[in-house]
Amino acid sequence: MKKKKQGFTLIEFLVVIAIITIISAVMIVNFRKGEESSRVIRNAQMLIQGIRRAQNLAISSKEFFNGTFNEVPLGGYAILVSRQSGSNTYYTIYADLDGQQDLDSGETVERVNFESGVIVDYIKYIPPGNPVDTNIIFIPPDPTVTVFPFIPPADEIVITLQRQ
């Protein structure tokens, strides 16, 4: 009696390879989408941390070295969100020493670039595609004025990030 040899035919082998290839391709595409979404979320969290940092600097009346001596900024601390199209978007935390509500030379506390491929798409009241920088300003409390109870301002800001 002859034994029958067991094994795979060439067709069976090619079908298994094709199935593995298709599943791998689907997984790689989904992994890339998840990676891009994670990048946007990471940068949004980074921007939130920057806003909170500027707010905390202002609330604590943190002194800033202006090149000669330390002083509490007249205009408080602010964050400038850049929307320059076609270039790396970033935000800058700065001490508004002169109170003019704009970033001047020597006022930068920190500049943070967003990761490659992440842009600021929308800022409330500024239409998409309009490359306008936006200031978010936090003015330190006046220690001579006591207001009780504290009523926070009703202002709201909406900033949307997206993949480029």
Side-chain angles (χ1 to χ4, degrees), residues 66-131:
N66 67 8
T68 309
F69 57 91
N70 289 338
E71 68 175 313
V72 175
L74 181 65
Y77 284 88
I79 185 165
L80 173 78
V81 180
S82 169
R83 292 186 66 203
Q84 303 304 320
S85 58
S87 67
N88 195 8
T89 56
Y90 59 90
Y91 70 85
T92 305
I93 298 172
Y94 68 94
D96 189 14
L97 298 174
D98 56 10
Q100 294 181 349
Q101 299 184 350
D102 62 350
L103 175 61
D104 296 321
S105 177
E107 293 182 336
T108 300
V109 173
E110 179 181 17
R111 177 179 164 163
V112 179
N113 290 321
F114 291 117
E115 292 179 37
S116 175
V118 176
I119 60 169
V120 177
D121 177 55
Y122 169 83
I123 299 177
K124 189 173 183 175
Y125 306 121
I126 300 174
N130 188 359

Side-chain angles (χ1 to χ4, degrees), residues 4 14 16-18 30-31 46 53 58 61-62 64 80 83-84 99 101 115 130 141 143 147-148 157:
K4 198 174 182 183
L14 291 176
V16 169
I17 295 295
N30 286 336
F31 176 75
M46 188 173 61
R53 181 165 180 223
S61 297
K62 179 80 172 164
F64 180 77
L80 173 78
R83 292 186 66 203
Q84 303 304 320
Q101 299 184 350
E115 292 179 37
N130 188 359
V147 177
F148 188 80
I157 185 161

Side-chain angles (χ1 to χ4, degrees), residues 127-143:
N130 188 359
V132 175
D133 294 341
T134 300
N135 285 306
I136 304 168
I137 301 163
F138 298 99
I139 299 172
D142 186 350

